[in-house]
């Protein structure tokens, strides 16, 4: 059997496709190590055309590290027997309730759960039902965003940290148990460096989380907003991104430390059902 996998870069600023691997328990360490290396290089990997049972998805995901358990599910979920590691994202309604999280919302650029002291290292998303149009997931290369920063901005953010807001999700909805109004210094969330380093490639990267309610620690609200607007303006005006249009059976893994992602608009008439797992990191983001 072939012991080298073929990694086809998307041709964009990040992302690659890996075909011809069977994502089952007998995937060898030799192959798996190449997948890990490809992820470090390309930051997003697509494995097309798989038929993964829940156990397959969980056991492949768990080779990247310890998995988080999914948050408590919304009511109405039919698949009560689902593995606890699987988070359902869907716009489908059943039994009077949503089948999964995030519904039809358009999402802002974000990294997953950077409001925690130890954010996930990677997320995996497996497509079970996909809309014919829309519902793409966009990815952004934060190492490239750092590399192309104007020099003055690069100097400005060196040694600065940002507080990542815990109170709202990536659709902008207030999470249960939080107030709508906090001052920047009181707002619940975790503080991480604005510039981090990739432990494998050594590349420096921006570490932004998401824009709403972010605060550069120690700056006045006005100064912080100005600096964050400059950084996000740089991201928004750049083109270090790649849009993934889903097909049923796609498994996509992204490095959550060095990429942003967002979902585009979804047509509520078109069903979308995804299973997600999340891989814990072993250390917090490393200041560069
Ligand atoms: C996620 C997420 C986007 C999507 O799984 O964290 O943001 O396209 N998903 O479903
Ligand atoms: Mn997300």
């Amino acid at each position: 059997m072939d012991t080298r996998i073929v990694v086809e870069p998307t041709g964009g600023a990040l992302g690659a496709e890996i075909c011809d691997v069977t994502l089952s328990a007998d995937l060898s360490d030799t192959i798996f190590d190449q997948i890990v290396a490809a992820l470090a290089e390309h930051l997003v990997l697509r494995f097309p055309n798989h038929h993964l049972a829940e156990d397959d998805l969980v056991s492949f995901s768990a080779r990247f590290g310890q998995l988080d358990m999914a948050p408590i599910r919304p009511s109405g979920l039919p698949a009560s027997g689902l593995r606890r590691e699987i988070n359902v994202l869907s716009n489908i309604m059943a039994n009077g309730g949503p089948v999964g999280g995030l519904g039809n919302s358009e999402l802002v650029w974000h990294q997953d759960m950077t409001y925690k002291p130890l954010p996930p290292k990677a997320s995996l998303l497996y497509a079970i039902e996909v809309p014919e149009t829309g519902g793409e997931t966009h990815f952004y290369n934060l190492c490239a965003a750092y590399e192309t920063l104007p020099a003055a901005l690069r100097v400005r953010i060196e040694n600065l940290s940002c507080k990542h807001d815990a109170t709202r999700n990536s659709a902008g909805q207030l999470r249960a148990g939080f107030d709508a109004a906090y001052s920047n210094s009181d707002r619940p969330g975790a503080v991480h460096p604005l510039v981090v380093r990739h432990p494998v490639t050594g590349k420096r990267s921006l570490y932004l989380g998401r824009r709403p309610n972010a605060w550069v620690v120690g700056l006045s609200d006005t100064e912080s907003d100005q600096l964050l607007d400059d950084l996000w303006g740089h991201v928004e005006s750049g083109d270090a991104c790649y849009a993934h249009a889903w097909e049923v059976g796609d498994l996509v893994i992204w490095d959550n430390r060095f990429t942003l992602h967002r979902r585009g608009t979804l047509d509520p008439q078109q069903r979308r059902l995804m299973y997600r797992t999340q891989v814990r990191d072993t250390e917090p983001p490393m200041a560069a």
Side-chain angles (χ1 to χ4, degrees), residues 89 102 107 110 112 125 135-137 170 246 254 261-263 272 274 276:
L89 300 184
L102 293 177
L107 309 182
H110 67 279
D112 288 331
L125 202 52
E136 297 89 359
T137 307
S170 47
W246 291 93
W254 65 88
H261 60 280
R262 69 174 174 85
R263 185 174 70 205
R272 189 179 192 262
M274 320 286 279
R276 193 186 72 180

Side-chain angles (χ1 to χ4, degrees), residues 235-281:
V235 166
E236 297 280 359
S237 66
D239 60 356
C241 51
Y242 157 73
H244 176 63
W246 291 93
E247 285 174 38
V248 170
D250 279 344
L251 177 69
V252 169
I253 176 167
W254 65 88
D255 189 315
N256 185 56
R257 301 163 303 177
F258 309 107
T259 63
L260 295 167
H261 60 280
R262 69 174 174 85
R263 185 174 70 205
T265 41
L266 253 185
D267 173 359
Q269 306 305 322
Q270 299 189 46
R271 292 162 63 100
R272 189 179 192 262
L273 175 64
M274 320 286 279
Y275 280 1
R276 193 186 72 180
T277 54
Q278 266 190 340
V279 186
R280 268 190 217 172
D281 211 342

Side-chain angles (χ1 to χ4, degrees), residues 110-171:
H110 67 279
Q111 292 167 266
D112 288 331
M113 293 166 72
T114 55
Y115 51 86
K116 301 255 188 192
L118 188 62
K121 168 165 87 170
S123 304
L124 294 95
L125 202 52
Y126 178 56
I128 296 167
E129 286 188 65
V130 302
E132 215 146 278
T133 54
E136 297 89 359
T137 307
H138 302 253
F139 295 98
Y140 204 103
N141 183 336
L142 285 171
C143 297
Y146 179 81
E147 275 160 29
T148 53
L149 267 187
L153 210 43
R154 225 187 268 196
V155 171
R156 177 97 171 89
I157 60 175
E158 199 144 337
N159 304 317
L160 290 181
S161 292
C162 187
K163 189 195 278 185
H164 296 237
D165 170 39
T167 67
R168 289 184 187 268
N169 70 11
S170 47

Side-chain angles (χ1 to χ4, degrees), residues 30-101:
T30 323
I31 302 276
F32 186 72
D33 291 348
Q34 292 170 58
I35 292 174
V36 170
L39 184 60
E41 185 178 348
H42 300 286
L43 301 174
V44 178
L45 299 176
R46 173 190 184 216
F47 301 88
N49 200 20
H50 286 277
H51 301 273
L52 301 179
E54 285 172 42
D55 287 348
D56 300 328
L57 174 61
V58 169
S59 49
F60 179 66
S61 303
R63 290 183 76 163
F64 292 90
Q66 199 182 339
L67 301 184
D68 283 325
M69 295 298 141
I72 306 302
R73 299 206 178 89
S75 58
L77 182 78
S80 56
L82 264 190
R83 295 270 312 227
R84 282 286 292 120
E85 296 89 341
I86 295 179
N87 189 359
V88 180
L89 300 184
S90 185
N91 62 352
I92 300 169
M93 303 290 279
N95 309 325
V99 159

